[in-house]
């Protein structure tokens, strides 16, 4: 059943809030906890559908996973110690969960069927399977989409792999499989992608090296690794905070602070871009939290100007383009967002979905190759119904647009917001935003 939702012109938004834990770090803390010996205590885990699917999967592979008070505890089985699951491993909507877990299966002498929802079963898995097959993974089906039956090996072959696409998921899957290999496994990334895997593997005791080279960063991990259970405090997710920050920039007279947000430079391209557009955004109380930089982000409403966002910045803000495109609709002049090929293979074709949503709201947006060009101005009509295509970020981006457009904006389905940000509607409402179930019920 679709759950349509409408956002109305709102403001001012005010208050101090926290967003839920970072999705990337949450998945990794469960997976590395399962591969460690001893207990991993996770505080601030993102309790959203994507991450809960990963928790169920690591339990199905033999790790003990339990919630204790506000924390989650994982009792791991050691690298190579997971067992074959009884049934299929269902990752729901989560590409990160499915792809990182392929690296886990590749490094174990087990067979497993991996599957997911309709959106995930359309997404390309060949980018992961190619290097993992070189390491010894066998795949029963002759295709590169889920569901797939995989068989790993207890002796994966250590490889040197240069990423053909800037994907932290591919990098991570190869490094995870390499934990059980007899020798060093290396990934070369011509463009730096989010580095949580290398940071957290080192924190769990793996021997990880990161070195520059003329082909890009080389990240390598020593095989026959032993990981030890650790305490992980998950910082707030900058990709979720982006929607609150964007809402405050647009809803007249707003002043909000989002506390405890991850500001790892491999994730902050969105905030850098907003500053270039003239936004009043400050990092306050900058600190270190378990090896990751964290800050409180304060933002106040202000006029924005269009900018050119270079392709090289895309990996540091890949999930934020739908939100940025909505902000660009309100910015004076043209915003060019280059190098967006990867957006086509996210939870939906986000390049097409973003352009179509903007057009439905009366915004001048066009796609030229892999570039999205939005021509903005201070008045945006709104009034449209936006198709979200099972994509949480498309849903939240266009609700943001409706908070500042002349007419309300309806999204066809708010249900998928729960994959990454279940408290979104409550948090936005508490800040002062007007979001209401749409008249009538969708299909
Ligand atoms: C993620 C990497 C990114 C990002 C996704 C989370 C991760 O995907 O879009 O939401 O946690 O490694 P790619 O690796 O495909 O770029």
């Amino acid at each position: 059943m679709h759950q349509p939702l409408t956002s109305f012109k709102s403001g001012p938004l005010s208050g101090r809030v926290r967003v839920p834990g970072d999705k990337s770090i949450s998945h990794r803390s469960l997976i590395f906890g399962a591969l460690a010996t001893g207990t991993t205590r996770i505080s601030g885990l993102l309790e959203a559908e994507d991450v809960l699917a990963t928790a169920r999967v690591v339990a199905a592979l033999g790790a003990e996973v339990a919630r204790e008070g506000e924390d989650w505890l994982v009792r791991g089985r050691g690298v190579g110690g997971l067992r074959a699951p009884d049934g299929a491993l269902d990752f729901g909507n989560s590409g990160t969960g499915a792809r990182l877990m392929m690296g886990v299966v590749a490094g174990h002498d087990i067979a497993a069927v991996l599957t997911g929802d309709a959106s995930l079963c359309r997404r390309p898995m060949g980018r992961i399977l190619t290097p993992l097959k070189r390491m010894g993974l066998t795949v029963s089906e002759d295709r590169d989409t889920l569901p797939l039956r995989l068989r790993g090996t207890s002796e994966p072959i250590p490889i040197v792999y240069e990423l053909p696409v800037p994907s932290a998921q591919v990098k991570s899957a190869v490094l995870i499989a390499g934990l059980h290999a007899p020798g060093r496994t290396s990934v070369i990334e011509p463009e730096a992608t989010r580095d949580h895997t290398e940071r957290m593997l080192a924190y769990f005791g793996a021997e990880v090296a990161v070195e520059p080279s003329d082909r890009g960063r080389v990240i390598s991990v020593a095989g026959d690794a032993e990981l030890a259970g650790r305490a992980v405090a998950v910082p707030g997710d900058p990709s979720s905070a982006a929607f609150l920050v964007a809402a405050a920039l647009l809803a007249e007279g707003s002043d909000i602070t989002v506390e405890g947000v991850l500001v790892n430079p491999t994730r902050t391209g969105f905030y850098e871009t907003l500053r270039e557009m003239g936004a009043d955004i400050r990092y306050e109380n900058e600190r270190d939290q378990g090896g990751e930089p964290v800050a409180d982000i304060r933002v106040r409403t202000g006029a924005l100007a269009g900018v050119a966002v270079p392709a090289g910045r895309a990996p540091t803000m890949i999930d934020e383009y739908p939100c940025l495109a909505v902000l660009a609709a309100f910015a004076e002049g043209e915003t060019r967002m280059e190098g967006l090929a990867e957006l086509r293979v996210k939870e939906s074709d986000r390049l097409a979905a973003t352009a179509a949503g903007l057009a439905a709201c009366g915004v001048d947006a066009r796609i030229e190759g892999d570039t999205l060009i939005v021509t903005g101005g201070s008045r945006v009509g709104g009034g449209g119904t936006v198709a979200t295509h099972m994509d949480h970020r498309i849903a939240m981006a266009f609700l943001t647009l409706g908070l500042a457009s002349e007419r309300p904006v309806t999204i066809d389905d708010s249900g998928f917001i729960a994959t990454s940000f279940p408290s979104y509607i409550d948090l936005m409402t508490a800040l002062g935003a007007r979001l209401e179930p749409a008249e009538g019920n969708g299909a």
Side-chain angles (χ1 to χ4, degrees), residues 22-25 27-28 50 95-97 99-100 123 127-128 165-172 193-194 196-197 239 267 314-315 317-320 342-343 345-347 350 392-393:
D22 184 66
K23 185 152 71 71
S24 295
I25 293 179
H27 283 296
R28 286 162 175 78
D50 277 14
T96 307
R99 291 182 175 137
L100 267 53
R123 297 180 65 186
R127 53 181 55 199
I128 299 279
V165 283
S167 166
Q169 296 173 353
V170 178
K171 168 176 66 177
S172 302
T193 67
R194 66 190 67 195
H196 311 304
T197 293
S239 301
R267 296 286 299 280
M317 55 178 296
I318 194 66
D319 293 331
E320 280 67 77
E342 278 295 298
L343 278 197
V345 290
K346 295 294 177 186
E347 286 83 330
R350 282 189 180 153
H392 53 133
R393 300 203 198 278

Side-chain angles (χ1 to χ4, degrees), residues 58-85:
V58 298
L61 293 171
E64 269 178 54
V65 182
R67 198 174 197 271
E68 193 186 85
E70 296 289 290
D71 292 350
W72 285 73
L73 297 186
V74 184
R75 282 195 194 82
R77 297 180 65 103
V79 172
L82 294 171
R83 62 166 166 73

Side-chain angles (χ1 to χ4, degrees), residues 35-46:
L35 291 173
T37 51
T39 301
T40 290
R41 176 178 286 274
I42 309 165
S43 59
L45 185 84
L46 170 63

